[in-house]
Amino acid sequence: MRQFKKIAMSHQNHKLATRLIHAGITPDPSTGAIMTPIYQTSTYVQNAPGDHKGYEYARTQNPTRTVLQNALASIENGKFALCFGSGMAATDAVAKLLMPGDEVIVANDLYGGTYRIFTKIFANYGIRFHFIDMSRPENIKGYLNDKTKMIWAETPTNPLLNIVDIAGVAAIAKANNLTLVVDNTFASPYLQNPLDHGADIVLHSATKYLGGHSDVVHGALIMNDAGLEERLRFIQNSCGAVPGPHDAWLVLRGIKTLHVRMQRHCENGATIAKWLRAHPKVDKVFWCGFEDHPNHEVAKKQMRDFGGMISFTLKNDSVEAANEVLKKTQLFSLAESLGGVESLIGHPATMTHASIPREDRIKNGLVDSLIRLSVGIEDVEDLINDLQQAIG
Ligand SMILES: Cc1ncc(COP(=O)(O)O)c(C=O)c1O
């Protein structure tokens, strides 16, 4: 077969923008196609038993998925990546590292589905989860005991945009031989690389910024430790929550523009956060780019910018008042999810976080009028005009 000039090269010396486009990618060996083909196959022909090209069965390996896994490992500054059928499937795989009796310390402000899988599924298998305020790493210490195996954090958190000090938590995890998992969905690798700050596993709902176009559900894990990768790869194959090749391809295409999309998400996010803060009907605005955000200094230390996720409450703190705003926006579509090029608006109390009991929700600051914005990359003036007519 003809050899193609562009051969597999290590892109680790390249900057992120270059790696987002090239890492893990080589022209397709059979045709030279510059874009990775969608290998829509369930199995691979062997010359003789065990004599194959590294691919046996598509639950176990798929070439489109392999390319995406290599690309994701590179852009998160990790050695390995594993792809899953959704962010929750990735979460499920990590939780399966645990055994009955094990304990996990979890940041209490986190995606409702993560709370649900821990409390409604894995708690039934005898695993204990402590949901705590992780805005100060020292808070973890009171919950450590010899059964603790894992620490789980999201940063920035969903939906209150709290910041967890990854390096601070990682120091406690290392000292106590615990696995630190960081859900990096909100930040994306453009803004933050948790492995660089000491995390053991980075989790993504690639449905969000990595995919970037609201057209795919996908999850990923990235790590440096070969033993951990082997255990998680075993779970990936044994439990089988793998993505199809077309979905892997969509994420692969999405990440090629992550940097340009994120730059605009951040610019629009900053403008809208400041505008909301000055609005007379708005009470609190949650965005980690404000200098008076309680963990702004930590955000500056571990993030490259502050992103396009913003939450705010209304002075009239009621579900009804929030509903009025949600009903009126036109460019901001009322929908779950985030991280796409188009702006979305949501009501955590009744949508993404409805699985959290009201009492717990309010205790953690998720009040009735809280509205979450995923600021897209449209013209920011149009977005502000839309919010203005909706909030009044
Ligand atoms: C921070 C975070 N983690 C995990 C998930 C779950 O991902 P998925 O919806 O792809 O299963 C979500 C989904 O909204 C999320 O926002």
Side-chain angles (χ1 to χ4, degrees):
M1 193 190 299
R2 219 182 117 204
Q3 291 300 302
F4 292 100
K5 231 166 66 191
K6 187 179 171 195
I7 49 155
M9 60 187 287
S10 162
H11 289 279
Q12 280 322 99
N13 292 332
H14 287 139
K15 304 264 185 338
L16 181 66
T18 308
R19 278 187 279 139
L20 282 164
I21 292 164
H22 293 287
I25 318 271
T26 50
D28 177 49
S30 55
T31 62
I34 191 164
M35 286 299 141
T36 307
I38 301 166
Y39 281 92
Q40 194 75 51
T41 187
S42 63
T43 193
Y44 310 87
V45 176
Q46 309 193 8
N47 292 327
D51 176 9
H52 53 72
K53 296 176 165 49
Y55 291 91
E56 293 150 281
Y57 183 62
R59 172 166 32 78
T60 320
Q61 316 104 337
N62 176 285
T64 318
R65 195 168 93 208
T66 304
V67 170
L68 176 59
Q69 290 182 162
N70 292 340
L72 289 172
S74 171
I75 64 175
E76 271 295 10
N77 296 341
K79 289 200 179 112
F80 310 101
L82 295 166
C83 290
F84 293 85
S86 66
M88 288 318 302
T91 299
D92 177 71
V94 176
K96 284 173 178 159
L97 293 169
L98 299 161
M99 299 294 280
D102 287 350
E103 296 192 9
V104 185
I105 301 172
V106 189
N108 61 7
D109 179 20
L110 88 166
Y111 172 57
T114 311
Y115 177 87
R116 180 175 56 200
I117 197 173
F118 289 164
T119 55
K120 298 282 192 302
I121 307 282
F122 285 99
N124 296 337
Y125 293 90
I127 297 162
R128 189 154 176 224
F129 298 90
H130 301 273
F131 296 91
I132 72 153
D133 169 10
M134 224 180 263
S135 56
R136 288 151 44 94
E138 311 82 83
N139 295 353
I140 292 172
K141 291 187 177 153
Y143 296 86
L144 291 170
N145 63 50
D146 54 10
K147 293 181 183 151
T148 316
K149 293 287 159 20
M150 190 176 274
I151 302 178
W152 192 290
E154 255 178 53
T155 184
T157 63
N158 180 3
L160 289 173
L161 284 306
N162 286 319
I163 298 292
V164 175
D165 179 346
I166 304 173
V169 174
I172 296 173
K174 290 260 157 352
N176 294 279
N177 205 17
L178 310 175
T179 303
L180 172 60
V181 186
V182 175
D183 184 332
N184 203 28
T185 299
F186 262 42
S188 90
Y190 176 83
L191 294 181
Q192 169 176 284
N193 296 115
L195 296 178
D196 292 352
H197 303 286
D200 299 293
I201 301 175
V202 172
L203 183 142
H204 279 284
S205 167
T207 315
K208 312 295 169 5
Y209 287 108
L210 290 175
H213 296 77
S214 308
D215 52 10
V216 64
V217 172
H218 191 105
L221 301 174
I222 300 101
M223 67 239 80
N224 273 319
D225 184 80
L228 203 48
E229 190 271 343
E230 197 181 336
R231 288 170 69 202
L232 287 164
R233 184 157 37 87
F234 182 80
I235 294 168
Q236 182 199 41
N237 184 45
S238 306
C239 300
V242 292
H246 187 246
D247 289 351
W249 181 85
L250 281 168
V251 177
L252 206 44
R253 187 176 64 165
I255 61 178
K256 286 180 196 290
T257 54
L258 182 73
H259 49 313
V260 281
R261 287 186 284 110
M262 286 308 295
Q263 192 178 343
R264 183 62 67 85
H265 282 297
C266 291
E267 286 165 14
N268 286 359
T271 308
I272 289 178
K274 289 171 197 159
W275 178 85
L276 280 170
R277 204 173 223 200
H279 196 289
K281 291 195 180 162
V282 171
D283 188 14
K284 295 197 182 84
V285 182
F286 301 92
W287 179 64
C288 57
F290 287 131
E291 278 179 19
D292 58 359
H293 179 288
N295 265 345
H296 179 67
E297 287 310 311
V298 179
K300 274 205 320 205
K301 184 182 75 170
Q302 65 194 23
M303 296 172 73
R304 299 179 192 99
D305 206 334
F306 307 111
M309 294 303 300
I310 301 167
S311 293
F312 64 98
T313 59
L314 299 170
K315 288 200 175 133
N316 177 358
D317 179 34
S318 65
V319 173
E320 293 71 30
N323 273 341
E324 279 308 302
V325 176
L326 299 164
K327 272 196 294 203
K328 285 189 192 148
T329 56
Q330 287 164 4
L331 275 176
F332 280 87
S333 302
L334 176 62
E336 299 209 2
S337 202
L338 59 110
V341 290
E342 59 287 297
S343 294
L344 300 182
I345 190 165
H347 186 233
T350 55
M351 296 169 74
T352 45
H353 292 65
S355 50
I356 302 180
R358 185 167 189 271
E359 207 178 297
D360 291 356
R361 182 164 63 63
I362 304 272
K363 211 167 56 194
N364 295 332
L366 243 139
V367 299
D368 288 339
S369 72
L370 187 79
I371 292 174
R372 191 187 79 179
L373 300 179
S374 170
V375 177
I377 63 171
E378 300 96 333
D379 186 282
V380 75
E381 267 184 47
D382 290 336
L383 294 177
I384 287 180
N385 289 341
D386 191 34
L387 290 172
Q388 176 68 68
Q389 62 79 26
I391 300 171

